[in-house]
Amino acid sequence: MTTTRFAPSPTGHIHVGNLRTALFNHLIARQAGGSFILRLDDTDQERSKQEYVDGIKRDLDWLGLHWDREERQSLRLDRYAEAADRLRTDGRLYEVFETPVELDLKRKKQLNMGRPPVYDRTGLALSDADKDRLRAEGREGYWRFRLDLERIEWVDGILGDISIDAASVSDPVLIRADGQVLYTFASSVDDVDMGVTHIVRGSDHVTNTATQIQIIKALGGTPPAFAHHSLLTGAQGEELSKRIGALSLKDLREAGVAPEALISLMARLGSGQPVRLASLDELAAEFDLSQFGASPTKFDAEDLWPLTREKNQALPLEAVADRIAALGVPAEQAERFWRVASQNITVLDDLAGWWRIFSEGAEPQIDPDDAEFVVEAMKLLPPPPYTETTWDEWTTRVKQATGRKGKGLFMPLRKAVTGQAHGPEMAEVMPLLQVVRARG
């Protein structure tokens, strides 16, 4: 069975870059009728917080990216210890003691000699007596995985054939001096134990993938199929990371972005396929990793608003009935209000502005050249309530009294009544108006 996973760290809110990873893995599982795992990478107990766990779940639920099972790495520490013991027994995990300063000096020396800055495996040569001496000096040991110095190759679902010489990569640190297992290790153990068959993630993980392939094999597992999607940039090609705080799913949701707009854009961005509003089922049926390229993909949050507008304007009344009632719209006017306001909103919060105009009246917008005309016209407008024929009857009387016609007649009256130059048909607006401030 196809099994994918999304493994966020609950140390902050999910942003659009995280979403791309979650969505791709979800669509692959959904397309194949497989399983999608939400796996919380919460081994960093100091930075991981329950509020972020709750936020991750809320964001995924909002988008419809429902998971089939949930796992927490913090509950699997005994399993990681067991796997580490196996690697030690097999000679694949070895203890080292270099400080960050010492490692930095080694790297600089290697670079000055024209060599790749790869860990020199000094730790492999340490005897038990050497290790005891270092500990007595106050050094703390941590653990590296010994890579087989061979080419690590796989066919990437997006990047194609990948070949990395393990000799050009440092033996990765898997366990810190304080005993915390790091992502590279915990993720590999989990992928084996949980039967993960496909992994899609950002192209910044390519080197991680090379080392994890060897770790998975050392644990007796079969590496899953990997694919690495391009990283997102801003609309002008700038680094998105500098703006990522404003692009959290939480902020986009609170700004009124429709979830369907977000997943429709993210599912096709960078694929060369036209972006159109679609359901998750439609996106899953059409999803194809081979359509995506390796080049950085530009993301512009402004592209979300036309899709959000399209989604919201097509909603049936029953989908917004509770929201409309909460605004104070009388039940007998709800259908008319939605029909009139719906085609003039982008986000659903825009409905509140329209109801304020209808119920409290708008601040009149009157050009100086139209001031006398509006005063005369308002004398001809009776007090509410109004009907579907009020606008036609009123403008006919104003035309006869002032001689104005066309845009010179209609636009000043629209702006005086609604405070806006654009909006719904005024014949539809009038029956909803309870107050017209321009009447004085």
Side-chain angles (χ1 to χ4, degrees):
M1 181 178 71
T2 296
T3 300
T4 65
R5 44 78 162 180
F6 175 50
S9 297
T11 56
H13 297 291
I14 301 178
H15 53 73
V16 291
N18 304 135
L19 169 58
R20 202 158 187 238
T21 298
L23 180 59
F24 282 17
N25 284 288
H26 185 273
L27 292 177
I28 288 172
R30 191 160 184 156
Q31 186 180 69
S35 178
F36 175 63
I37 301 172
L38 172 60
R39 194 169 74 206
L40 297 164
D41 178 3
D42 59 349
T43 56
D44 186 342
Q45 293 297 294
E46 290 187 8
R47 296 176 61 227
S48 297
K49 299 184 183 302
Q50 185 60 40
E51 65 183 279
Y52 293 131
V53 172
D54 296 340
I56 288 168
K57 293 180 179 180
R58 185 163 52 248
D59 288 339
L60 294 179
D61 270 333
W62 171 59
L63 293 167
L65 303 184
H66 306 305
W67 52 97
D68 298 294
R69 58 191 268 210
E70 177 186 336
E71 300 282 355
R72 296 187 72 140
Q73 291 188 332
S74 60
L75 302 179
R76 291 175 48 78
L77 300 182
D78 290 345
R79 173 64 185 121
Y80 304 142
E82 177 186 325
D85 285 341
R86 171 176 175 170
L87 294 182
R88 290 189 188 97
T89 299
D90 293 343
R92 299 303 295 274
L93 199 61
Y94 64 99
E95 194 172 16
V96 296
F97 292 84
E98 288 91 350
T99 66
V101 172
E102 289 171 338
L103 290 174
D104 187 52
L105 289 173
K106 285 186 179 184
R107 281 192 291 267
K108 289 178 179 177
K109 182 178 179 180
Q110 289 169 317
L111 288 170
N112 288 336
M113 297 173 65
R115 297 176 181 172
V118 174
Y119 179 62
D120 61 9
R121 292 186 163 181
T122 297
L124 278 175
L126 295 175
S127 65
D128 289 342
D130 292 330
K131 295 175 184 177
D132 290 341
R133 174 178 53 78
L134 290 167
R135 292 191 189 96
E137 294 174 357
R139 300 280 190 123
E140 293 184 321
Y142 52 100
W143 298 84
R144 288 182 182 268
F145 178 76
R146 180 179 60 77
L147 292 166
D148 286 332
L149 300 184
E150 60 188 20
R151 298 206 73 83
I152 304 171
E153 300 178 334
W154 73 93
V155 179
D156 194 276
I158 294 175
L159 303 179
D161 293 334
I162 301 291
S163 179
I164 294 178
D165 185 356
S168 68
V169 181
S170 292
D171 289 343
V173 175
L174 299 191
I175 304 175
R176 289 179 15 176
D178 62 2
Q180 181 184 332
V181 294
L182 298 184
Y183 163 83
T184 306
F185 182 42
S187 180
S188 299
V189 174
D190 290 346
D191 289 337
V192 172
D193 290 356
M194 298 173 191
V196 173
T197 61
H198 294 74
I199 296 174
V200 185
R201 53 189 179 184
S203 57
D204 53 338
H205 283 282
V206 169
T207 301
N208 280 342
T209 293
T211 58
Q212 286 181 307
I213 285 174
Q214 283 208 7
I215 295 170
I216 288 170
K217 289 181 177 178
L219 292 170
T222 300
F226 286 97
H228 295 82
H229 61 70
S230 61
L231 300 182
L232 296 179
T233 70
Q236 306 304 317
E238 72 275 18
E239 287 186 36
L240 203 61
S241 58
K242 295 179 181 178
R243 298 177 51 234
I244 212 69
L247 295 174
S248 71
L249 302 198
K250 173 179 178 290
D251 289 341
L252 292 174
R253 181 176 70 250
E254 290 177 353
V257 169
E260 296 86 353
L262 188 52
I263 61 171
S264 295
L265 179 62
M266 299 305 292
R268 293 197 174 95
L269 198 64
S271 70
Q273 299 299 306
V275 175
R276 61 177 178 80
L277 203 60
S279 67
L280 270 172
D281 283 338
E282 291 170 326
L283 293 172
E286 300 170 0
F287 190 68
D288 182 357
L289 281 176
S290 68
Q291 296 177 340
F292 293 85
S295 300
T297 301
K298 293 181 179 180
F299 171 80
D300 187 349
E302 291 302 311
D303 293 336
L304 293 168
W305 300 118
L307 293 167
T308 293
R309 185 181 305 115
E310 180 184 348
K311 174 62 182 179
N312 286 336
Q313 291 186 355
L315 290 172
L317 173 61
E318 54 266 27
V320 293
D322 289 345
R323 180 184 286 263
I324 289 174
L327 292 176
V329 180
E332 64 273 14
Q333 289 196 323
E335 182 177 358
R336 178 186 294 277
F337 172 73
W338 177 241
R339 184 174 71 249
V340 171
S342 64
Q343 299 311 298
N344 293 273
I345 62 170
T346 295
V347 299
L348 293 176
D349 282 348
D350 291 342
L351 291 172
W354 283 109
W355 183 242
R356 277 195 299 273
I357 290 174
F358 299 152
S359 62
E360 302 173 14
E363 185 66 33
Q365 299 297 316
I366 303 173
D367 296 338
D369 292 344
D370 295 322
E372 292 185 12
F373 164 71
V374 171
V375 170
E376 291 303 312
M378 287 301 160
K379 294 177 180 178
L380 300 174
L381 178 65
Y386 303 119
T387 69
E388 293 89 344
T389 63
T390 297
W391 175 254
D392 184 57
E393 293 168 352
W394 178 39
T395 54
T396 297
R397 287 197 296 270
V398 173
K399 179 180 178 181
Q400 292 171 346
T402 66
R404 285 215 187 189
K405 57 183 179 181
K407 187 175 182 181
L409 167 67
F410 300 118
M411 184 58 70
L413 298 185
R414 171 185 281 279
K415 292 168 67 175
V417 172
T418 69
Q420 300 186 42
H422 304 283
E425 290 292 331
M426 290 300 296
E428 293 276 5
V429 167
M430 297 304 288
L432 290 165
L433 286 174
Q434 299 175 20
V435 178
V436 179
R437 294 191 194 177
R439 292 186 72 252

